[in-house]
Amino acid sequence: MADSALLEIENLNAFYGSFQALFGVALGVRAGETLAVIGANSAGKSTLMKAIVGLVQTRGAAIRFRAENIVALETQDIVRKGIALVPEGRRLFRSLSVEENLQAGGQMQRKGPWSLSTIYSLFPILREKRAQPSISLSGGQQQMVAIGRALMANPDLLLIDELSLGLAPIVIRDIYAALPRVTAQGTSAIIVEQDTTQALAVADRVYCLRGGRVTLEGTPTSLSRDAISSAYFGV
Ligand code: ATP
C-alpha cells in the first residue's frame, strides 16, 4: 500500500471463543478516503469494525494505524490515537440529553475541527433537540447523535457500523448528504452497510465480505452489478 496508508490490516482472524468469524482479512484505508464495507447478515462486518478498535479477540493479525501496530492496544488507547466507532444500534446513553451524549464523546478529545458547535452545524436538528433525552429522538436523529458523539473525539478515522439499518429513507439521505462535510475535514471513513446503493455512491472503494472473508475489492465504478451480487450472495 502507498505511503499515504492510514490504516492497513493484514491477516485478520477474529474469534468469539472457539468460533472464527473472520479469516485472513486484508484491508487498507488511505488518508482522506471513504471505504464501504458491504455484505449480508453475519458476513463479519461488525466483527471487522470491532476488531479495529480492539473489541474482539484476534490472532495473527497486524492492524497498523499510521504505521503503528495497534492490535494489542486497549480500546481507549486506540480512540486516543484517532479511531472512533459508531456502533451498530448506536448505544446512546438513553436518559442523557443529546448534548450530554455529545459531551461524553469529547472526553478523549484530540485537537481537531469537531466541537458542539460544528456538530450542530452539521446536524442542525441536534441543536434544536440538545436538551432532550436521546431516547425521545427518532432513530435517524439518534444516529446523528451517535455520529456526532464519535466526531467529538476528533478522529482521523471514523467507523460507522450499519449506518442506515432501520432508518427512514429521508433521514438516511440527510446523513449521507452530511458525510462529505466530514471527510472534507480530512477525516477518513469506513461505512458498513447491508444496503449497498447509498454506500457505493459515496465510497472511493468498496470491500465485500461473505462468510468472514473478503470476496471483492475495488472502486464502485470498476465493479459490475453482477460482480457485486456474486461477491455478496455467493451466486
Ligand atoms: P449483521 O449485519 O447481521 O450484524 P455482520 O456482517 O455484522 O452481520 P457479525 O456481527 O460480524 O456479522 O457476525 C459474524 C459472525 O460472528 C456471525 O456468524 C455471528 O453469529 C458471529 N458473532 C457475532 N457476534 C458474536 C458473539 N458476540 N458471540 C458469538 N458469535 C458472534
Side-chain angles (χ1 to χ4, degrees), residues 145-215:
V145 177
I147 293 170
R149 181 181 60 181
L151 287 174
M152 283 289 284
N154 273 303
D156 294 323
L157 177 61
L158 178 67
L159 314 176
I160 308 180
D161 194 359
E162 298 287 10
L163 187 149
S164 65
L165 192 66
L167 304 184
I170 192 160
V171 81
I172 295 171
R173 196 197 58 198
D174 287 350
I175 293 173
Y176 270 100
L179 282 180
R181 291 173 61 193
V182 173
T183 49
Q185 299 292 337
T187 311
S188 302
I190 304 181
I191 299 164
V192 166
E193 278 286 13
Q194 275 182 48
D195 173 2
T196 56
T197 312
Q198 294 271 15
L200 291 183
V202 297
D204 298 302
R205 282 186 308 121
V206 57
Y207 285 78
C208 185
L209 288 181
R210 180 162 44 85
R213 292 179 164 85
V214 174
T215 49

Side-chain angles (χ1 to χ4, degrees), residues 22-158:
L22 293 178
F23 299 82
V25 167
L27 177 147
V29 187
R30 300 182 186 100
E33 198 173 39
T34 299
L35 224 68
V37 174
I38 61 172
N41 269 331
S42 298
K45 307 178 300 296
S46 294
T47 304
L48 172 59
M49 295 302 102
K50 288 187 216 158
I52 294 170
V53 296
L55 290 170
V56 186
Q57 187 198 336
T58 63
R59 212 177 288 159
I63 302 180
R64 282 187 285 274
F65 186 60
R66 287 197 218 88
E68 179 190 359
N69 198 349
I70 58 169
V71 85
L73 296 184
E74 299 287 335
T75 301
Q76 60 195 29
D77 295 324
I78 295 171
V79 175
R80 276 198 197 96
K81 290 197 180 287
I83 303 179
L85 171 66
V86 180
E88 183 175 357
R90 305 179 281 277
R91 307 277 174 91
L92 298 180
F93 300 109
R94 292 153 66 89
S95 59
L96 295 188
S97 69
V98 166
E99 189 149 304
E100 287 165 337
N101 269 281
L102 293 174
Q103 282 165 334
Q107 282 176 3
M108 292 191 213
Q109 196 170 27
R110 307 162 72 239
K111 286 205 171 74
W114 297 107
S115 62
L116 284 176
S117 71
T118 51
I119 285 161
Y120 289 148
S121 310
L122 186 71
F123 297 124
I125 188 71
L126 299 188
R127 187 194 302 276
E128 280 174 39
K129 308 236 169 194
R130 64 185 183 276
Q132 294 191 17
S134 67
I135 194 175
S136 70
L137 271 59
S138 72
Q141 291 163 356
Q142 290 185 27
Q143 185 67 301
M144 292 174 186
V145 177
I147 293 170
R149 181 181 60 181
L151 287 174
M152 283 289 284
N154 273 303
D156 294 323
L157 177 61
L158 178 67

